[in-house]
Amino acid sequence: MIFCALNRNAIQIGNFSVKWYGVIMAAAIVLATWMSISEGKKRHIMSDDFVDLLLWAVPLGYVGARIYYVIFEWGYYSQHPDQIIAIWNGGIAIYGGLIAGLIVLLVFCYKRMLPPFLMLDIIAPGVMAAQILGRWGNFVNQEAHGGPTTLHFLQSLHLPEFIIQQMKIGGVYYQPTFLYESFFNLIGLIIILSLRHKKYFYKQGEVFMSYLLWYSIVRFFVERLRTDSLYIFGIIRVSQALSLIVFIVTLILLIYRRVKVKPKWYLDGSGLKYPYTR
């Protein structure tokens, strides 16, 4: 059977097209929102809070992802300032989106008088699921891949033929780093979800921290295989350095809160009566 590269257009009507990347990202956002709302109800947080948060976090998250990318590619964008807003030409970084999203969430929780660590715990698994699904948008676009490899190596991974052929770009096979990240994050998500409702296991904030610890480890190792990394001083991969920092800071914070702060258990919820009014 002969496989061709996947068509990046999900819908094509004349000059109008809808890209698979956009469809997949939209599905990822819907998935994350649904997971957050479902868990939020169990923790006594209103569904409207997650929808309202989504309306702010998603667009500002994309802005943050773009700003992050532009900063570390300033050598190019300083010479082409008209391209800074040309996000349709590619160029976003997930860490930038996560940082912006975190800032939005903290401000939102302050305004709504919601417990931030509990909100982070509720949202984190949905964000992780969105990342897992979202990486398949990179697969369709044949981007965020690793270095050149061989057909034999890809076949040794027992991958479906359509994945192997999609990793053939310009006659060369490449490492499917999108798949590595998606797969290992799926394992992490399954572990977190299986432990999340275990009594006396997670303190508030620790579901979110588990996500950070797991993702930073996965990203650290996957990043070294990628060919499109952002660099500091031309030698240090930004995402690897940030992953290491996130892991160390999160681990220290987790231990400190357990020993000194002693927050309440995650399953204790928000302490708010649901439904409630402000």
Side-chain angles (χ1 to χ4, degrees):
M1 184 180 296
I2 298 176
F3 287 84
C4 298
L6 299 175
N7 189 341
R8 298 185 182 187
N9 294 331
I11 300 173
Q12 180 77 51
I13 303 175
N15 293 326
F16 174 79
S17 65
V18 176
K19 306 294 184 183
W20 273 115
Y21 182 88
V23 172
I24 292 171
M25 294 307 296
I29 293 170
V30 171
L31 175 62
T33 305
W34 173 77
M35 290 179 64
S36 299
I37 289 174
S38 297
E39 181 66 12
K41 290 179 179 178
K42 299 173 185 176
R43 305 280 76 81
H44 302 164
I45 303 294
M46 292 179 64
S47 301
D48 286 351
D49 287 320
F50 295 103
V51 175
D52 293 343
L53 176 60
L54 169 73
L55 295 176
W56 286 98
V58 171
L60 292 178
Y62 272 101
V63 171
R66 181 60 172 180
I67 291 174
Y68 182 99
Y69 184 86
V70 169
I71 288 173
F72 290 106
E73 288 287 355
W74 186 244
Y76 171 81
Y77 287 104
S78 62
Q79 301 299 318
H80 304 86
D82 58 307
Q83 291 295 307
I84 291 177
I85 63 171
I87 194 171
W88 51 87
N89 290 330
I92 58 174
I94 192 168
Y95 265 130
L98 292 175
I99 292 170
L102 175 60
I103 294 172
V104 171
L105 182 140
L106 293 177
V107 173
F108 184 85
C109 287
Y110 175 78
K111 294 291 187 179
R112 292 287 179 94
M113 295 181 291
L114 294 168
F117 275 114
L118 179 61
M119 287 290 286
L120 287 168
D121 284 340
I122 294 170
I123 290 170
V127 171
M128 199 172 191
Q131 289 176 264
I132 292 166
L133 179 57
R135 279 301 176 200
W136 288 85
N138 297 135
F139 165 68
V140 174
N141 282 356
Q142 295 181 307
E143 61 190 9
H145 55 70
T149 187
T150 63
L151 174 61
H152 175 72
F153 174 78
L154 294 178
Q155 290 175 333
S156 71
L157 298 178
H158 304 289
L159 300 176
E161 188 64 22
F162 79 94
I163 292 180
I164 293 176
Q165 294 307 314
Q166 188 69 0
M167 287 295 97
K168 186 177 182 181
I169 306 168
V172 179
Y173 290 99
Y174 289 90
Q175 292 264 13
T177 47
F178 87 92
L179 180 62
Y180 302 157
E181 185 173 327
S182 185
F183 175 74
F184 286 110
N185 279 336
L186 177 60
I187 294 175
L189 178 61
I190 292 172
I191 293 173
I192 290 173
L193 290 179
S194 66
L195 296 174
R196 181 170 62 173
H197 293 156
K198 186 177 177 63
K199 197 171 184 180
Y200 303 128
F201 187 85
Y202 278 128
K203 295 279 191 175
Q204 286 193 16
E206 293 179 355
V207 175
F208 170 65
M209 292 181 197
S210 295
Y211 155 69
L212 289 181
L213 291 172
W214 187 277
Y215 178 69
S216 61
I217 292 173
V218 171
R219 186 60 187 267
F220 181 86
F221 287 103
V222 171
E223 188 67 24
R224 66 184 296 271
L225 300 174
R226 287 178 55 167
T227 59
D228 60 344
S229 298
L230 299 173
Y231 285 87
I232 304 175
F233 309 124
I235 55 174
I236 301 174
R237 295 176 189 257
V238 176
S239 289
Q240 276 196 309
L242 187 54
S243 293
L244 185 60
I245 293 171
V246 168
F247 180 85
I248 293 172
V249 171
T250 301
L251 186 60
I252 292 173
L253 181 60
L254 190 153
I255 295 172
Y256 174 78
R257 293 181 78 248
R258 274 273 176 165
V259 175
K260 294 293 186 178
V261 180
K262 297 180 181 179
K264 63 181 180 179
W265 298 104
Y266 169 69
L267 292 180
D268 288 345
S270 66
L272 300 169
K273 185 177 180 181
Y274 182 84
Y276 64 93
T277 56
R278 301 180 185 85

